[in-house]
Amino acid sequence: MISTVILFIIGFILITKGADIFINCTVEIGKKTHVSELVLGATIVSFATTLPELTVSLCASINNQTTMSLGNAVGSIICNTGLILGLVAFISPFKVDRKMFLSKSTLLLISILGLVIVGLDGTVNEKDSIVLLIILAIFMYTNYKSVTSEKVSKRSVVNLQEKKNIDTKAGELLKIICLFLLGLVMMVVGSRLLVDNGSDIAKFIGIPQGIISLTIIALGTSLPELVSSLTAIRKKHHAISVGNVLGANILNITSVIALSSIPNDIPILSQNVNIDYPFMIALILMLILPTIKKNKLYRFQGLMLLLLYGAYITTLYFMYIS
């Protein structure tokens, strides 16, 4: 048990220090490439922090544990929106870029609608994945257009001095990218150590396995998003948080679920239809509608997101014990 506690502490140190490096490098990449924090959050940060969900869901599908594939992805969306953005908005309300937020939010709603439609027959199969992958392609294209348009608007002319500094800037950017990847690896490894050893500690204390799965395991694959988002607001880079969560939610549907449905069909369970989907949609609408109207995430809005997330966990808990 002593070694388990030590590994748990090491995991906590890795994930917190890794998040610091990760966010600092994200900000530096933004400065070097002249790309806004919201776009960076919705692109490289969300792609990076969604890797745990993709790995877990894809491996589960390959091992024919397909119900875990969908539950992991949808549960992550609920956790990202209700817990992570709920905490971010409650701790530190902030304004958003209306145009960019509207673009990402629209794609997220289209992704959710696509998921619901392809699952009307009770499964998400290989053919259904094509629809979701098309939405993924649109998401990647809009991100590309956002990046290129921002770079053009902020740097229309490259002067001679900039040309002389290209090699230096390239070297600095390479160093930043390497540190960015190091921070990501530290977060993923730290997450794994926290989840595995946290579960062992909970079992030792006497917490039931079902409760562990609803808390520690459910949060496990969302820890990179959680820690990176909280680190971002601590460093006053709120746009990274909201961009990260919106992008990660889109990717959970268009890449995690889509790719996981290729090895084996993913069944849509009654719990997904009656509990998971309604809470997911309610949380997304609670996030999007007030924010679009006022161009800001409010503290009361964050509280409502947290309460909805708590209601979801409570519902699952009573369903488990009944």
Side-chain angles (χ1 to χ4, degrees), residues 1-15 190 193-201 216:
M1 182 48 62
I2 293 176
S3 62
T4 301
V5 173
I6 292 172
L7 288 173
F8 181 84
I9 294 171
I10 291 172
F12 179 78
I13 294 170
L14 281 175
I15 198 170
L193 288 173
L194 276 178
V195 171
D196 291 345
N197 294 284
S199 297
D200 289 341
I201 292 170
I216 299 173

Coordinates of all heavy atoms in Angstrom, one line a residue, residues 1-15 190 193-201 216:
M1 N 0.8 -1.2 0.0 CA 0.0 0.0 0.0 C 0.9 1.3 0.0 O 0.5 2.3 -0.6 CB -0.9 0.0 1.2 CG -1.9 1.2 1.3 SD -2.8 1.6 -0.2 CE -3.7 0.1 -0.5
I2 N 2.0 1.2 0.7 CA 2.9 2.4 0.7 C 3.4 2.7 -0.7 O 3.4 3.9 -1.1 CB 4.1 2.1 1.6 CG1 3.7 2.0 3.1 CG2 5.2 3.2 1.5 CD1 4.8 1.6 4.0
S3 N 3.7 1.7 -1.5 CA 4.2 1.9 -2.9 C 3.0 2.5 -3.7 O 3.3 3.3 -4.6 CB 4.7 0.6 -3.5 OG 3.7 -0.4 -3.6
T4 N 1.8 2.0 -3.4 CA 0.6 2.6 -4.2 C 0.4 4.0 -3.9 O 0.2 4.8 -4.8 CB -0.6 1.8 -3.8 OG1 -0.4 0.4 -4.0 CG2 -1.8 2.3 -4.5
V5 N 0.6 4.4 -2.6 CA 0.4 5.8 -2.3 C 1.5 6.7 -2.9 O 1.3 7.8 -3.4 CB 0.4 6.0 -0.7 CG1 0.5 7.5 -0.3 CG2 -0.7 5.3 -0.1
I6 N 2.7 6.2 -2.9 CA 3.9 6.9 -3.5 C 3.6 7.1 -5.0 O 3.9 8.2 -5.5 CB 5.2 6.1 -3.3 CG1 5.6 6.2 -1.8 CG2 6.3 6.7 -4.1 CD1 6.8 5.3 -1.4
L7 N 3.2 6.0 -5.7 CA 2.9 6.1 -7.1 C 1.7 7.1 -7.4 O 1.8 7.9 -8.4 CB 2.5 4.8 -7.7 CG 3.7 3.8 -7.9 CD1 3.2 2.4 -8.3 CD2 4.7 4.3 -8.9
F8 N 0.7 7.1 -6.5 CA -0.4 8.1 -6.6 C 0.2 9.5 -6.5 O -0.2 10.4 -7.3 CB -1.4 7.8 -5.5 CG -2.6 8.7 -5.5 CD1 -3.7 8.5 -6.3 CD2 -2.6 9.9 -4.7 CE1 -4.8 9.3 -6.4 CE2 -3.7 10.7 -4.7 CZ -4.8 10.4 -5.6
I9 N 1.1 9.8 -5.5 CA 1.6 11.1 -5.4 C 2.5 11.5 -6.6 O 2.4 12.6 -7.1 CB 2.5 11.2 -4.1 CG1 1.6 11.0 -2.8 CG2 3.3 12.5 -4.0 CD1 2.4 10.8 -1.5
I10 N 3.3 10.5 -7.1 CA 4.1 10.8 -8.3 C 3.2 11.1 -9.5 O 3.5 12.1 -10.2 CB 4.9 9.5 -8.7 CG1 6.0 9.3 -7.6 CG2 5.6 9.7 -10.1 CD1 6.8 8.0 -7.8
G11 N 2.0 10.4 -9.6 CA 1.1 10.7 -10.7 C 0.5 12.1 -10.5 O 0.4 12.9 -11.5
F12 N 0.2 12.5 -9.3 CA -0.3 13.9 -9.1 C 0.8 15.0 -9.5 O 0.5 16.0 -10.1 CB -0.6 14.1 -7.6 CG -1.2 15.4 -7.2 CD1 -2.5 15.8 -7.5 CD2 -0.3 16.3 -6.6 CE1 -3.0 17.0 -7.2 CE2 -0.8 17.6 -6.3 CZ -2.1 17.9 -6.6
I13 N 2.0 14.7 -9.1 CA 3.1 15.6 -9.4 C 3.3 15.7 -10.9 O 3.4 16.8 -11.5 CB 4.4 15.2 -8.7 CG1 4.3 15.4 -7.2 CG2 5.6 16.1 -9.2 CD1 5.5 14.7 -6.4
L14 N 3.3 14.6 -11.6 CA 3.5 14.5 -13.0 C 2.4 15.3 -13.8 O 2.7 16.1 -14.7 CB 3.5 13.1 -13.5 CG 4.8 12.3 -13.4 CD1 4.6 10.8 -13.8 CD2 5.9 12.9 -14.2
I15 N 1.1 15.1 -13.4 CA 0.0 15.7 -14.1 C 0.0 17.2 -13.9 O -0.3 18.0 -14.8 CB -1.3 15.0 -13.7 CG1 -2.4 15.3 -14.8 CG2 -1.8 15.4 -12.3 CD1 -3.6 14.5 -14.6
G190 N 0.8 10.6 -15.7 CA 0.3 11.0 -14.4 C -1.2 10.6 -14.2 O -1.6 10.1 -13.2
L193 N -1.4 6.9 -13.6 CA -0.9 6.5 -12.2 C -2.0 7.0 -11.2 O -2.3 6.2 -10.2 CB 0.4 7.3 -11.9 CG 1.6 6.7 -12.6 CD1 2.8 7.6 -12.3 CD2 2.0 5.3 -12.1
L194 N -2.6 8.1 -11.4 CA -3.6 8.6 -10.5 C -4.8 7.6 -10.5 O -5.4 7.3 -9.4 CB -4.1 10.0 -10.9 CG -3.3 11.2 -10.3 CD1 -3.8 12.5 -10.9 CD2 -3.3 11.2 -8.8
V195 N -5.3 7.3 -11.7 CA -6.5 6.4 -11.8 C -6.2 5.0 -11.2 O -7.0 4.5 -10.4 CB -6.9 6.3 -13.3 CG1 -8.0 5.3 -13.4 CG2 -7.4 7.7 -13.8
D196 N -5.2 4.4 -11.7 CA -4.9 3.0 -11.3 C -4.7 2.9 -9.7 O -5.2 2.1 -9.0 CB -3.7 2.5 -12.0 CG -3.9 2.2 -13.5 OD1 -5.1 2.2 -13.9 OD2 -3.0 2.1 -14.3
N197 N -3.8 3.8 -9.2 CA -3.5 3.7 -7.8 C -4.6 4.3 -6.9 O -4.8 3.9 -5.8 CB -2.1 4.4 -7.6 CG -1.0 3.7 -8.2 OD1 -0.5 2.6 -7.7 ND2 -0.5 4.2 -9.3
G198 N -5.3 5.3 -7.5 CA -6.4 5.8 -6.8 C -7.5 4.8 -6.6 O -8.1 4.7 -5.5
S199 N -7.7 4.0 -7.6 CA -8.7 2.9 -7.5 C -8.3 1.9 -6.5 O -9.1 1.4 -5.7 CB -8.8 2.2 -8.9 OG -9.3 3.0 -9.8
D200 N -7.0 1.5 -6.4 CA -6.5 0.6 -5.4 C -6.6 1.1 -4.0 O -7.0 0.4 -3.1 CB -5.0 0.3 -5.7 CG -4.8 -0.5 -7.0 OD1 -5.8 -1.2 -7.4 OD2 -3.7 -0.5 -7.5
I201 N -6.3 2.4 -3.8 CA -6.5 3.0 -2.5 C -8.0 3.0 -2.1 O -8.3 2.7 -0.9 CB -6.0 4.5 -2.5 CG1 -4.4 4.5 -2.7 CG2 -6.3 5.2 -1.2 CD1 -3.8 5.9 -3.0
I216 N -13.6 7.8 -9.9 CA -12.2 7.8 -10.3 C -12.0 7.4 -11.8 O -11.4 8.1 -12.6 CB -11.4 6.9 -9.4 CG1 -11.5 7.4 -8.0 CG2 -9.9 6.9 -9.8 CD1 -10.9 6.5 -6.9

